[in-house]
Amino acid sequence: MADEKKTCLYDKHVALGALMSPFAGFNMPIQYKGIVEEHNAVRNQVGVFDVSHMGEVEITGPEAEKFVNYIFTNDIKDAPLGKIYYGMMLYPDGGTVDDLLVYKVAENDFFLVINAGNIDKDVAWINEHAAQFDVKVDHQSDYYGQLAVQGPESEKALLDILRIDATDLVFYTFKKLEYDGETIIVSRTGYTGEDGFEIYASHTAINKMWDLLVEAGVQPCGLGCRDTLRFEVGLPLYGDELTAEISPIMATLSIFVKLDKEDFIGKEACAKQKEEGSAKKLVGLELKDKAIARHGYEVMQGDKVVGYITTGYRGISVEKSLAFALVDREAGTLGNELNVKIRKKVFPAEVVKKRFYKKSYKK
């Protein structure tokens, strides 16, 4: 469609024969060789993703730390330089504006990485609240492209192919370095459950690095396997497991909501949910059949609808039919027997832990 945006690598995807599809307002590659092959490449070797659709915002100024801590659920007060934090921006009622990463670049200098589909909404939200603080908001999404190089061989691929030495980075840290005359950001987080790196750079540099990686045999990967990979290791996707109606407490992400820090937007609502127990909670489900539960399918307990599926797949690395579901808290006890309505049939399912596959990060 004409109004869909394209990343700086769009022409490369088309040339490689990728299946392209709309995602978060962008025309993005869903798969190249196939989701299973790309998924396994990341689990066992290395793959490269174009994630240039993601948004970037830099917050600077005398009150940058105070401001970011006010709009962010995690606690970045006195954070060490080069550290990355995961958390959420919330509405006052505890619903989620977005989940994001916060990079501590320098004293009172923070780099925020936000979800593609939320860029306009997030930037408006940030600007609205920034008016009360002595800060500068610099929206940089149009400048940066981003690659995610993921898998057990990702560190070696960066060093051998791109000549980027990231061996000193530990999990959830980053550094700035010079590459072809420009300053780039390299981080080590990963949204796949495997060791992996993200590279933020100009469109020119991203195109060059993509070519070098693909020519050297690194498997290009689409958003299809990005979703199956993150799902297997229990990671949420905004729009599915977190929304304006789903708080991080409901999504069982309380660890990223620091209720003992100073005031932040949504703190009161989250504290209440934590104390009283949220009405709904996100759980893992294992279906006792090969049927696949898709987003929006009803979850039943007896004749009663107790929730709905947020994400469901036939696991590629675990070979089971699995799902995340948002259900009534009482129905979400581990081991509980529920049913999933798939079209006109009902399939039995058991409540299990949300992490279906063991993560392999370099800590």
Side-chain angles (χ1 to χ4, degrees), residues 308-334:
Y308 68 93
I309 301 296
T310 61
T311 302
Y313 283 107
R314 178 77 184 167
I316 294 173
S317 303
V318 286
E319 296 185 340
K320 293 175 182 176
S321 190
L322 302 164
F324 296 151
L326 189 73
V327 300
D328 295 346
R329 189 166 39 120
E330 300 75 28
T333 309
L334 279 177

Side-chain angles (χ1 to χ4, degrees), residues 178-194:
E178 291 300 308
Y179 187 91
D180 273 4
E182 70 174 80
T183 302
I184 67 169
I185 297 170
V186 181
S187 61
R188 191 171 204 158
T189 66
Y191 186 54
T192 58
E194 300 299 329

Side-chain angles (χ1 to χ4, degrees), residues 43-185:
R43 284 275 180 260
N44 301 308
Q45 291 95 33
V46 60
V48 59
F49 297 84
D50 174 16
V51 281
S52 303
H53 59 317
M54 299 291 279
E56 296 85 17
V57 178
E58 190 158 21
I59 311 287
T60 55
E63 293 188 307
E65 180 183 88
K66 186 179 178 185
F67 170 61
V68 174
N69 234 12
Y70 176 66
I71 61 168
F72 188 53
T73 59
N74 212 330
D75 192 357
I76 52 117
K77 191 175 187 308
D78 301 325
L81 301 184
K83 185 87 175 83
I84 305 168
Y85 293 82
Y86 172 74
M88 302 85 196
M89 292 190 293
L90 302 181
Y91 294 107
D93 67 0
T96 310
V97 178
D98 201 4
D99 62 336
L100 65 155
L101 295 174
V102 171
Y103 290 52
K104 170 102 176 245
V105 180
E107 293 305 322
N108 282 311
D109 185 347
F110 296 89
F111 184 72
L112 280 52
V113 182
I114 56 181
N115 282 303
N118 293 334
I119 291 173
D120 292 345
K121 175 187 76 174
D122 287 3
V123 172
W125 180 259
I126 291 165
N127 278 321
E128 178 190 338
H129 295 284
Q132 307 161 39
F133 294 82
D134 187 1
V135 294
K136 180 188 175 194
V137 177
D138 186 6
H139 182 202
Q140 301 175 341
S141 302
D142 289 341
Y143 171 76
Y144 281 108
Q146 188 195 154
L147 296 181
V149 183
Q150 303 281 301
E153 296 173 11
S154 55
E155 184 185 276
K156 187 174 188 299
L158 256 66
L159 189 58
D160 293 354
I161 302 165
L162 302 181
R163 303 289 176 229
I164 293 175
D165 185 355
T167 53
D168 56 329
L169 290 179
V170 295
F171 192 52
Y172 266 68
T173 66
F174 74 98
K175 64 181 177 180
K176 286 189 169 186
L177 49 88
E178 291 300 308
Y179 187 91
D180 273 4
E182 70 174 80
T183 302
I184 67 169
I185 297 170

Side-chain angles (χ1 to χ4, degrees), residues 3-6 22-28 116-117:
D3 57 351
E4 277 164 15
K5 292 182 271 189
K6 297 173 180 176
F23 177 81
F26 286 79
N27 198 344
M28 295 295 292

Side-chain angles (χ1 to χ4, degrees), residues 193-208:
E194 300 299 329
D195 189 19
F197 300 86
E198 300 74 40
I199 303 169
Y200 304 84
S202 70
H203 294 177
T204 302
I206 289 294
N207 268 273
K208 180 179 178 181

